[in-house]
């Protein structure tokens, strides 16, 4: 029986083959360019119909988040539409930390990934489809180091400025699935939530803030090996043109509400992170954040508030991160900013044994967040919110 074939020479692909023998392979993840970050993998196995594959990804004690491997299951697809779960075992003592994936394909080709990929081709399809919808406008905010456009889609004519942006960390592909759900709702002229949001707001959506890293198969950085979510205090054209373009556009419009959409490797839950430690924190900002997460928790079982990141003490927020920078930068407007985190594992409060956390649930959460935003705005109006800007 011939050996299987493994490749990652495609959009967002990442794996290096150490050896293949029959149905078994030793693999390792290629680090981000000019960086030590590694965790994202995406590869194709061919010639494997009916064969019990054993795929071992080694050296993972040196990955970005080794605490993310226990309890994790790789995603697998044979049609690149439905992404299910492969059986996995984690052994930190084997080959510098090894994730063993076992799967028997029913067809000749199978794809494996850290999470269901959101390809650049699908990104372009999304942008073109939404940009052609009635009432939607498109603009390129700038260019990346690899020459890609930083795409922004905008809807609505209201006075409140809402910014939604995703995939600063390109391996967190669930973030663009979330964007697909939010964009499809907002572009639908028959959707009542969308109609009311468009009346109240100007919504700016950046579905992929790091297209270079996405195409290159990076976990966390852009083409220069820079973590974009540590560049918001002082972005530069040389290191982080994506953040420079995005922050410049935000300065032009102002920001009343912002959500930065991410994925978390270790915590098996959907949760939010806020901006408690910013120097200029205003009571109405803190209250607005608490009210939004309470609304979202009530509206969907795919969100919770018991697990998440530690809260920064007063005055100690990291202003290089977008959520903190925006809440501080636009505190005079009462800006409410937040970071949404979705799991690479599952949302344990409402587990799915077929897919764990999935593209479908990510997209639905995008729609749920838009409904929560409308309810939040209605409550904001009812208490007569007034910011000290024209």
């Amino acid at each position: 029986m011939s050996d299987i074939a493994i490749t990652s020479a495609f959009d967002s692909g990442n794996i290096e083959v150490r050896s293949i023998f029959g149905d078994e392979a030793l693999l390792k993840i290629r680090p981000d360019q000019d960086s030590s970050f590694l965790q994202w993998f995406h590869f194709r196995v061919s010639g494997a119909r009916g064969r019990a594959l054993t795929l071992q990804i080694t050296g993972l004690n040196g990955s970005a988040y080794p605490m993310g491997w226990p309890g994790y299951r790789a995603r697998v697809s044979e049609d690149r539409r439905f992404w299910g779960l492969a059986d996995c075992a984690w052994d930190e003592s084997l080959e510098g930390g090894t994730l063993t994936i076992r799967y028997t394909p029913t067809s000749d080709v199978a794809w494996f990934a850290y999470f269901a990929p959101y390809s650049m081709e699908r990104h372009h399809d999304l942008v073109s489809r939404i940009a052609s919808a009635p009432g939607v406008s498109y603009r390129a905010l700038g260019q990346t180091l690899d020459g890609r456009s930083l795409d922004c889609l905008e809807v609505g004519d209201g006075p409140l400025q809402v910014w939604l942006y995703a995939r600063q960390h390109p391996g967190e592909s669930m973030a663009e699935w979330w964007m697909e759900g939010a964009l499809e709702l907002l572009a639908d002229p028959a959707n009542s939530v969308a109609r009311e949001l468009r009346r109240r707001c100007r919504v700016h959506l950046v579905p992929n803030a790091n297209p270079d890293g996405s195409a290159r198969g990076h976990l966390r950085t852009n083409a220069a090996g820079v973590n974009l979510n540590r560049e918001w205090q002082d972005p530069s054209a040389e290191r982080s043109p994506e953040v420079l373009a995005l922050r410049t556009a935000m300065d032009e419009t102002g920001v009343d509400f912002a959500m930065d959409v991410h994925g978390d490797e270790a915590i098996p839950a959907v949760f939010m992170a806020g901006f408690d430690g910013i120097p200029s924190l205003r009571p109405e900002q803190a209250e607005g954040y608490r009210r939004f997460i309470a609304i979202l928790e009530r509206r969907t079982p795919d969100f919770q508030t018991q697990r998440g990141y530690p809260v920064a003490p007063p005055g100690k927020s990291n202003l290089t991160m977008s959520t903190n920078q925006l809440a501080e930068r636009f505190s005079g407007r009462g800006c409410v900013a937040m970071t949404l985190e979705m799991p690479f594992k599952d949302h344990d409060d409402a587990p799915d044994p077929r897919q764990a956390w999935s593209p479908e649930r990510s997209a639905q959460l995008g729609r749920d967040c838009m409904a929560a935003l409308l309810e939040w705005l209605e409550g904001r109006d009812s208490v007569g919110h007034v910011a000290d800007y024209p």
Side-chain angles (χ1 to χ4, degrees):
M1 180 177 290
S2 62
D3 291 343
I4 58 176
I6 298 176
T7 182
S8 63
F10 46 76
D11 179 0
S12 80
N14 186 331
I15 208 68
E16 294 180 3
V17 179
R18 293 179 55 197
S19 66
I20 299 176
F21 183 75
D23 303 333
E24 301 181 1
L26 289 179
L27 310 168
K28 65 178 183 178
I29 297 174
R30 182 183 66 250
D32 292 6
Q33 178 73 28
D34 297 325
S35 167
S36 61
F37 286 117
L38 64 90
Q39 194 115 359
W40 171 263
F41 62 87
H42 181 198
F43 58 91
R44 188 186 77 167
V45 179
S46 56
R49 182 193 296 265
R51 299 170 70 168
L53 299 176
T54 300
L55 311 170
Q56 294 187 311
I57 305 178
T58 62
L60 296 180
N61 288 340
S63 60
Y65 301 98
M67 62 283 198
W69 300 115
Y72 165 80
R73 295 179 68 185
R75 303 316 195 267
V76 59
S77 178
E78 296 184 29
D79 61 9
R80 299 207 298 170
R81 291 189 294 273
F82 176 83
W83 289 86
L85 301 172
D87 289 334
C88 291
W90 166 248
D91 187 344
E92 66 179 352
S93 66
L94 178 64
E95 292 271 359
T98 296
L99 181 76
T100 299
I101 303 170
R102 292 185 172 89
Y103 183 74
T104 302
T106 59
S107 59
D108 283 323
V109 185
W111 283 260
F112 297 84
Y114 189 40
F115 190 81
Y118 201 102
S119 70
M120 289 306 300
E121 281 304 307
R122 189 178 183 103
H123 168 86
H124 294 310
D125 288 343
L126 175 68
V127 169
S128 61
R129 175 162 49 89
I130 300 300
S132 65
V136 179
S137 60
Y138 166 87
R139 61 171 168 152
L141 301 182
Q143 279 198 332
T144 67
L145 293 170
D146 282 346
R148 293 182 173 89
S149 293
L150 192 65
D151 298 320
C152 181
L153 297 153
E154 300 177 328
V155 298
D157 302 307
L160 293 173
Q161 301 294 325
V162 174
W163 280 88
L164 310 172
Y165 52 106
R167 286 189 90 176
Q168 288 201 81
H169 298 150
E172 297 164 14
S173 54
M174 61 283 288
E176 196 157 3
W177 291 106
W178 183 98
M179 272 287 177
E180 184 173 298
L183 279 163
E184 287 179 344
L185 180 147
L186 288 168
D188 181 359
N191 188 285
S192 58
V193 171
R195 288 200 308 271
E196 189 60 22
L197 284 175
R198 292 195 299 264
R199 185 182 72 82
R200 293 169 179 262
C201 306
R202 182 67 170 172
V203 187
H204 315 261
L205 302 100
V206 179
N208 190 333
N210 192 343
D212 290 353
S214 301
R216 286 168 172 254
H218 286 187
L219 170 73
R220 201 164 172 84
T221 69
N222 68 357
V226 172
N227 178 354
L228 295 182
N229 203 28
R230 299 298 185 274
E231 291 286 304
W232 281 75
Q233 192 160 22
D234 188 24
S236 70
E238 295 74 27
R239 285 174 48 87
S240 48
E242 301 91 347
V243 175
L244 181 61
L246 188 48
R247 203 187 72 174
T248 298
M250 291 173 168
D251 284 344
E252 292 170 355
T253 65
V255 181
D256 298 302
F257 181 96
M259 188 180 291
D260 180 15
V261 188
H262 285 261
D264 183 85
E265 288 78 2
I267 299 175
V270 179
F271 61 97
M272 207 76 79
F275 49 89
D276 304 76
I278 64 170
S280 302
L281 180 65
R282 295 184 169 207
E284 64 268 27
Q285 288 178 284
E287 188 279 332
Y289 172 71
R290 287 193 295 269
R291 193 163 56 81
F292 183 87
I293 63 174
I295 292 169
L296 188 59
E297 187 175 32
R298 175 172 50 76
R299 295 191 71 99
T300 173
D302 273 351
F303 180 76
Q304 58 79 54
T305 57
Q306 301 305 306
R307 285 170 287 184
Y309 299 146
V311 175
K316 299 297 184 180
S317 279
N318 183 351
L319 296 181
T320 70
M321 300 172 69
S322 68
T323 288
N324 295 327
Q325 176 64 212
L326 294 177
E328 174 69 16
R329 197 176 191 85
F330 299 103
S331 61
R333 300 176 69 103
C335 173
V336 173
M338 61 197 71
T339 303
L340 174 66
E341 298 281 357
M342 292 172 281
F344 282 89
K345 296 179 180 178
D346 201 351
H347 181 67
D348 280 0
D349 288 355
D352 179 354
R354 293 184 71 220
Q355 291 183 280
W357 191 253
S358 65
E360 294 82 1
R361 293 174 79 181
S362 302
Q364 180 57 49
L365 184 62
R367 294 186 282 269
D368 290 337
C369 285
M370 295 304 94
L373 175 59
L374 176 57
E375 183 176 340
W376 183 82
L377 289 170
E378 291 170 342
R380 182 179 185 271
D381 291 347
S382 71
V383 297
H385 177 91
V386 177
D388 54 358
Y389 63 93

